[in-house]
Amino acid sequence: SDLQKQEERGELLQPLVFVLLVLCSVLLYFKVSLMDPGFVKSEEEAEASKSEEQSMVIPQVPSNIKMRRCGYCMVKQPMRAKHCQLCQHCVRRYDHHCPWIENCVGEKNHPFFIVYLSVQLVVLLWGGHVAWSGLYFEQSWDWLQHNVLLLMSFLLIIIFTTVVLLLLISHLYLISCNTTTWEFMSHHRISYLRHSELENPFDQGVILNLWRFFC
């Protein structure tokens, strides 16, 4: 492969960058999967730490929409929070429970999740290029025996790259609209969205939505 040839020539910059990117993606994976996604700890904390975003949006939502008490963990849910049956907690700005990381994606770890997907996409694209550069096709059984693992790796990389790319694009679109996967999929069942005069009362324009999310 290209990286192997560069290493043999003593050109270690690109192989080192590739290894560092892989290491970074692994560290981000553990960061996203182990950190608190934004669990609602108690009724007092939920009351005290209402976000600026909520206070700006509440006037646009009918006044009869109040904070509801979760039927599972018995805390008052801030707006946009949802109880996760797998984590057994209510999560602020709940997006979804991700089986890849075995954790919820919520208010605190959603930006790290996007960074993780971005780094992972770069690693996959680069890994796909490395695998392709090591393939020299020949119509023989011996060639297939010697290259079957590399060929399978390349096909798996293509599949994972497609999945990660679609996931990243969908999340960036939802972020630009200031909505979550849960709100997008369950709009008709969420009281503060169903009774709102606006289709999305949280949308403040693409630039401000992105700024508030990442900064």
Side-chain angles (χ1 to χ4, degrees):
S1 66
D2 287 345
L3 286 185
Q4 185 178 3
K5 292 176 182 177
Q6 290 174 358
E7 184 181 359
E8 291 172 353
R9 293 196 302 264
E11 300 172 2
L12 300 179
L13 179 60
Q14 289 194 26
L16 184 60
V17 172
F18 180 75
V19 171
L20 289 175
L21 276 174
V22 173
L23 180 61
C24 181
S25 69
V26 173
L27 293 176
L28 281 169
Y29 171 82
F30 284 111
K31 172 74 174 177
V32 175
S33 61
L34 296 177
M35 72 180 295
D36 178 357
F39 294 134
V40 181
K41 302 297 183 181
S42 65
E43 183 174 329
E44 292 77 19
E45 184 179 0
E47 289 285 355
S49 59
K50 290 182 181 179
S51 65
E52 179 184 356
E53 179 182 53
Q54 286 177 271
S55 62
M56 292 178 63
V57 173
I58 286 175
Q60 302 180 46
V61 180
S63 57
N64 61 332
I65 305 300
K66 304 294 183 184
M67 290 177 67
R68 61 186 293 271
R69 188 176 294 278
C70 176
Y72 297 96
C73 51
M74 303 308 294
V75 298
K76 280 193 174 181
Q77 287 183 334
M79 192 176 291
R80 311 191 81 176
K82 181 183 182 296
H83 184 86
C84 176
Q85 298 276 17
L86 297 174
C87 292
Q88 294 297 311
H89 283 286
C90 288
V91 180
R92 295 178 182 276
R93 203 181 182 278
Y94 175 86
D95 189 88
H96 71 289
H97 183 92
C98 181
W100 286 14
I101 63 174
E102 274 301 315
N103 194 11
C104 283
V105 176
E107 183 178 74
K108 291 185 178 180
N109 67 347
H110 201 170
F112 287 103
F113 183 72
I114 298 300
V115 175
Y116 165 68
L117 288 179
S118 302
V119 174
Q120 192 66 59
L121 180 61
V122 173
V123 170
L124 285 167
L125 289 172
W126 197 345
H129 171 73
V130 171
W132 179 260
S133 68
L135 286 173
Y136 299 94
F137 294 99
E138 296 178 7
Q139 294 183 350
S140 68
W141 178 248
D142 289 337
W143 178 90
L144 184 60
Q145 282 184 316
H146 286 91
N147 292 272
V148 62
L149 290 178
L150 187 59
L151 192 59
M152 290 175 62
S153 299
F154 180 70
L155 293 176
L156 282 174
I157 288 173
I158 291 178
I159 294 172
F160 287 133
T161 301
T162 303
V163 171
V164 172
L165 179 62
L166 292 176
L167 191 60
L168 180 60
I169 290 174
S170 65
H171 273 276
L172 289 176
Y173 169 74
L174 293 175
I175 291 167
S176 68
C177 300
N178 198 356
T179 189
T180 64
T181 303
W182 172 57
E183 290 172 341
F184 182 78
M185 300 294 292
S186 307
H187 189 279
H188 61 287
R189 295 193 290 111
I190 301 174
S191 57
Y192 60 81
L193 294 179
R194 187 174 68 247
H195 299 295
S196 174
E197 296 179 0
L198 302 175
E199 183 176 354
N200 180 11
F202 304 104
D203 188 6
Q204 296 178 309
V206 174
I207 295 177
L208 191 56
N209 290 340
L210 292 173
W211 175 263
R212 285 186 174 276
F213 181 84
F214 286 107
C215 307

